[in-house]
Amino acid sequence: MTKIIERTVQDIGLVETQYFTFGNPPSEFMLESGEKLGPVTLAFETYGTLNKNKSNAILILHALTGNAHVAGFHPDEKDPGWWDNMIGHGKGFRHR
């Protein structure tokens, strides 16, 4: 297990969760019921570098985790993200 963690640190390294908030008043989402929804804050992480024509982005959404930490390590945590075994060099999704 230590070997996998060492390799993951080399592949992804330390990551930081970022946040984007939208739907602030007066621009909330209007629902069919007439109720308003907002503001909404999305948490996300990015890996690698976006190419010049921005065609190498992949959106990965969680189903039931409620956790935006997909791969790599946060500085204050010992466990990698929940899909770390799928993102990185030689894995299902390359981040470079």
Side-chain angles (χ1 to χ4, degrees):
M1 177 134 176
T2 302
K3 197 171 195 175
I4 293 171
I5 290 175
E6 288 172 3
R7 180 168 181 224
T8 302
V9 169
Q10 281 184 328
D11 277 357
I12 301 294
L14 295 176
V15 296
E16 180 181 342
T17 301
Q18 301 173 62
Y19 300 91
F20 177 74
T21 300
F22 60 96
N24 289 308
S27 301
E28 301 97 335
F29 289 105
M30 184 64 72
L31 304 176
E32 287 182 10
S33 66
E35 295 291 321
K36 294 179 181 179
L37 177 63
V40 176
T41 301
L42 295 177
F44 65 95
E45 294 177 349
T46 60
Y47 315 97
T49 304
L50 196 57
N51 65 19
K52 186 176 179 178
N53 62 357
K54 300 179 181 179
S55 64
N56 65 333
I58 299 171
L59 177 63
I60 298 175
L61 302 171
H62 62 81
L64 301 173
T65 66
N67 185 335
H69 182 45
V70 180
F73 289 85
H74 286 158
D76 57 345
E77 295 179 0
K78 64 179 178 130
D79 294 324
W82 50 266
W83 218 26
D84 192 72
N85 63 336
M86 291 298 295
I87 299 175
H89 184 71
K91 299 177 183 179
F93 300 96
R94 275 188 70 187
H95 71 290
R96 299 193 204 285

